[in-house]
């Protein structure tokens, strides 16, 4: 929490010397290693933690984030889906799922994930802003489509193709 990753790693190594099967310490170490950019080492810690506790939510969440860091978005999405099967009331998992869906270019699905998180944490201002941003982008998208449909000879399929190609106004 203080940002001193090396000190955290040192303390966690001491805990793991005494309790090598401590899944929570392994997950904490993986989180610190990820912050330090040591993704391979972090993944190794997570593998050990998940072998000890296959349904460890924290381990799965960090694994999903590492997969995202590596650009393995489908695998990250599968990991977040598994997390939500384990605990459908976990706001962090819904937000993580929404984030990866945005990266995948699936804003409608991301919006559903964020809205689900918002039902669990209705006062979360960051989440409210994410939902507002996606709602605004959707409204802009719809407006462009409506404008393109006003052009003679442009139907829904052509309007979508034009918008996908970068056309934004008549």
């Amino acid at each position: 929490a203080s940002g001193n990753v090396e000190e955290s790693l040192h303390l966690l190594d001491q805990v793991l010397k005494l309790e090598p099967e401590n899944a929570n310490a392994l997950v904490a170490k993986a989180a610190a290693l990820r912050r330090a950019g040591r993704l391979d080492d972090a993944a190794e810690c997570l593998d050990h933690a998940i072998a000890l506790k296959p349904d460890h939510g924290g381990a799965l969440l960090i694994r999903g984030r590492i997969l995202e860091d590596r650009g393995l978005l489908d695998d990250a999405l599968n990991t977040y889906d598994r997390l939500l099967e384990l605990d459908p009331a976990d706001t962090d998992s819904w937000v993580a799922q929404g984030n990866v869906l945005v990266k995948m270019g699936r804003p409608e699905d991301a919006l559903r994930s964020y809205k689900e998180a918002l039902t669990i944490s209705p006062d979360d201002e960051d989440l409210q802003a994410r939902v507002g941003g996606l709602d605004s982008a959707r409204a802009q998208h719809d407006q462009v489509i409506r404008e393109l449909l006003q052009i003679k000879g442009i139907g829904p399929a052509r309007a979508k193709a034009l918008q996908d190609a970068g056309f934004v106004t008549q």
Side-chain angles (χ1 to χ4, degrees):
S2 69
N4 190 337
V5 175
E6 291 308 317
E7 183 179 348
S8 297
L9 289 171
H10 175 70
L11 293 171
L12 288 163
D13 283 338
Q14 288 179 338
V15 170
L16 289 166
K17 280 181 187 175
L18 297 172
E19 299 176 53
E21 305 298 303
N22 185 326
N24 291 330
L26 286 164
V27 171
K29 183 176 178 179
L33 289 165
R34 178 178 173 256
R35 271 189 233 113
R38 295 170 51 190
L39 300 182
D40 291 336
D41 293 335
E44 188 177 313
C45 277
L46 290 174
D47 288 343
H48 189 186
I50 291 170
L52 294 169
K53 285 189 163 185
D55 294 339
H56 193 292
L60 293 170
L61 186 63
I62 295 170
R63 171 171 277 166
R65 290 184 173 146
I66 289 172
L67 291 166
E68 276 187 76
D69 293 343
R70 290 180 168 165
L72 302 170
L73 301 182
D74 288 326
D75 293 335
L77 185 59
N78 289 336
T79 301
Y80 298 142
D81 288 344
R82 180 161 178 234
L83 267 168
L84 289 168
E85 287 172 12
L86 295 171
D87 185 3
D90 182 23
T91 304
D92 290 338
S93 298
W94 284 109
V95 171
Q97 183 186 60
N99 292 344
V100 79
L101 287 164
V102 166
K103 290 177 184 177
M104 295 173 88
R106 296 171 51 188
E108 293 298 321
D109 293 330
L111 187 58
R112 280 191 286 280
S113 294
Y114 291 150
K115 284 184 176 180
E116 190 63 39
L118 206 50
T119 64
I120 300 163
S121 300
D123 297 329
D124 187 321
E125 291 178 7
D126 181 54
L127 201 45
Q128 292 170 359
R130 289 174 198 238
V131 168
L134 285 175
D135 276 337
S136 175
R138 181 175 55 185
Q140 250 182 342
H141 172 272
D142 293 346
Q143 177 61 31
V144 169
I145 293 291
R146 282 192 295 278
E147 288 179 17
L148 289 169
L149 288 171
Q150 299 302 312
I151 301 171
K152 185 176 179 171
I154 303 288
R158 211 174 257 166
K160 173 123 176 57
L162 285 168
Q163 187 179 42
D164 290 346
F167 289 93
V168 292
T169 63
Q170 294 186 42

